[in-house]
Amino acid sequence: MKKILVTGAFGQIGSELVTKLSGLYGSSNVIATDIKEKNQLDGPFEIIDVTDKQRLHDVAKKYEVDTIMHLAALLSATAEKDPMKAWNINMGGLVNALEVARELDLQFFTPSSIGSFGPSTPKDNTPQDTLQRPTTMYGVNKVAGELLCDYYHERFGLDTRGVRFPGLISYETLPGGGTTDYAVEIYYEAVKNKAYTSFIGEGTKMDMMYMPDALNAIVDLMEAEPSELEHRNAFNITAFSAAPEDFAASIQKFIPEFELSYDVDPNRQAIAESWPNQIDPTVAENEWGFKTNYDLDKMTKDMLEKVKDK
Ligand code: SER
């Protein structure tokens, strides 16, 4: 991994991943791409609509990249509002990116998600290899994506790798249209109003992770020796499992007056309830040394400081 093209570079993950990769590999070796230009970057930027395969091919070729990190996708709640659009962007974009990787022989990363699991998946300590029958379009896209990435590895020998991300919490760029977005909003509202009304109900546990741990996971997985990897697409990873009241209790350690209330959104609640409470990341730990630095309270302390600064 020496020269990397990132799609969806201005999204929640992309905006921080580009900075991280630039620090590690040099900013001229990270080609940020997105559907429109937002802010000025140190390194190269190109507009790419991932449903345009030729454009993706041309940009990858122009910069002679050796790796694609394909992040452009619609999240779970947005996908449910327009399932066909989600299919076209999530599946169309992925197969285009995989085809470009095949044509130019590139290493490949794309994230899967806890959304790739469904109501029939074991909810606690969800194993790496288990039932995946999701009931959302996003989940269908993620499972199909995992299978497609494994297929490109088996069939064409492509070096494809992925993780199943939990809800990601970060302060640089807001997530858009995800079911786990409440876990980001709660920090902004805690700083602004010392109160938050959650659209996810009390007691609804989901896996979560602070962005610095997520970025380390991507780099560690991509740098792992291929011979160490028995699995590829995609590894269970998580930092902790939490419900809204767990975030509130953690925030109250720093802002004692903080108050949590609920106004549950039935659509996003149904999605959350179809996902696991807590997945088991042991296989990722064993195969490529996955680890995290942030638990809930350590993350809360950092998030509150960073959001305040903003
Ligand atoms: N954070 C994502 C979502 O809520 C899950 O991968 O859609």
Side-chain angles (χ1 to χ4, degrees):
M1 187 163 72
K2 294 199 175 71
K3 201 158 198 187
I4 307 145
L5 185 151
V6 180
T7 71
F10 291 131
Q12 188 198 8
I13 302 174
S15 56
E16 296 196 42
L17 183 62
V18 167
T19 310
K20 167 105 185 171
L21 296 174
S22 298
L24 291 172
Y25 305 97
S27 55
S28 61
N29 292 320
V30 183
I31 296 60
T33 78
D34 208 307
I35 195 156
K36 27 183 195 289
E37 186 151 17
K38 258 192 208 148
N39 23 334
Q40 210 53 46
L41 298 167
D42 288 342
F45 172 81
E46 298 277 349
I47 289 181
I48 291 182
D49 174 345
V50 293
T51 61
D52 181 350
K53 192 198 130 199
Q54 191 58 47
R55 172 79 184 141
L56 193 50
H57 182 109
D58 292 346
V59 173
K61 197 157 179 191
K62 171 177 163 192
Y63 290 94
E64 297 180 328
V65 300
D66 62 17
T67 304
I68 293 187
M69 294 198 174
H70 177 58
L71 306 179
L74 300 190
L75 288 182
S76 56
T78 312
E80 232 33 61
K81 283 188 193 137
D82 193 343
M84 267 327 291
K85 185 174 176 192
W87 177 268
N88 289 335
I89 293 176
N90 293 357
M91 295 316 301
L94 176 61
V95 83
N96 285 344
L98 279 167
E99 272 297 282
V100 171
R102 183 182 66 77
E103 287 159 359
L104 302 174
D105 193 21
L106 312 177
Q107 204 191 3
F108 193 86
F109 173 85
T110 198
S112 184
S113 160
I114 52 170
S116 69
F117 297 116
S120 54
T121 304
K123 284 228 173 290
D124 295 298
N125 234 1
T126 306
Q128 172 67 37
D129 301 312
T130 187
L131 267 177
Q132 289 179 280
R133 308 284 297 173
T135 47
T136 61
M137 178 50 95
Y138 179 74
V140 169
N141 297 163
K142 288 300 185 191
V143 178
E146 290 186 8
L147 293 172
L148 205 53
C149 288
D150 271 348
Y151 175 79
Y152 271 72
H153 174 64
E154 295 293 329
R155 177 78 170 74
F156 304 117
L158 212 65
D159 187 359
T160 58
R161 308 179 186 197
V163 293
R164 295 181 185 131
F165 273 133
L168 296 180
I169 294 135
S170 66
Y171 52 84
E172 205 64 60
T173 305
L174 288 172
T179 302
T180 56
D181 294 9
Y182 89 87
V184 178
E185 289 173 8
I186 197 169
Y187 288 102
Y188 280 81
E189 293 303 312
V191 169
K192 255 197 279 173
N193 303 320
K194 299 187 171 33
Y196 179 64
T197 304
S198 173
F199 62 77
I200 291 295
E202 192 177 353
T204 313
K205 296 242 183 224
M206 285 183 276
D207 284 292
M208 301 283 172
M209 185 183 285
Y210 199 28
M211 188 60 85
D213 284 334
L215 301 178
N216 285 338
I218 296 175
V219 172
D220 289 349
L221 171 60
M222 292 303 275
E223 293 287 5
E225 283 301 323
S227 58
E228 304 285 305
L229 302 180
E230 241 176 78
H231 294 77
R232 280 177 168 271
N233 304 285
F235 287 92
N236 278 6
I237 62 168
T238 181
F240 50 89
S241 162
E245 66 273 20
D246 300 319
F247 284 95
S250 180
I251 290 169
Q252 280 158 353
K253 291 180 186 163
F254 305 91
I255 307 175
E257 326 81 277
F258 178 76
E259 275 179 33
L260 176 65
S261 56
Y262 296 91
D263 180 12
V264 174
D265 166 15
N267 297 323
R268 284 178 287 186
Q269 182 65 24
I271 296 176
E273 282 175 13
S274 77
W275 293 352
N277 298 328
Q278 181 161 31
I279 64 174
D280 175 12
T282 313
V283 169
E285 289 163 5
N286 293 343
E287 289 189 25
W288 50 275
F290 165 70
K291 57 186 177 320
T292 56
N293 292 317
Y294 288 89
D295 61 14
L296 176 54
D297 285 341
K298 192 172 167 195
M299 178 188 78
T300 295
K301 183 170 184 289
D302 199 56
M303 264 306 271
L304 290 174
E305 281 166 13
K306 296 291 177 9
V307 172
K308 246 176 237 159
D309 289 348
K310 284 192 109 179

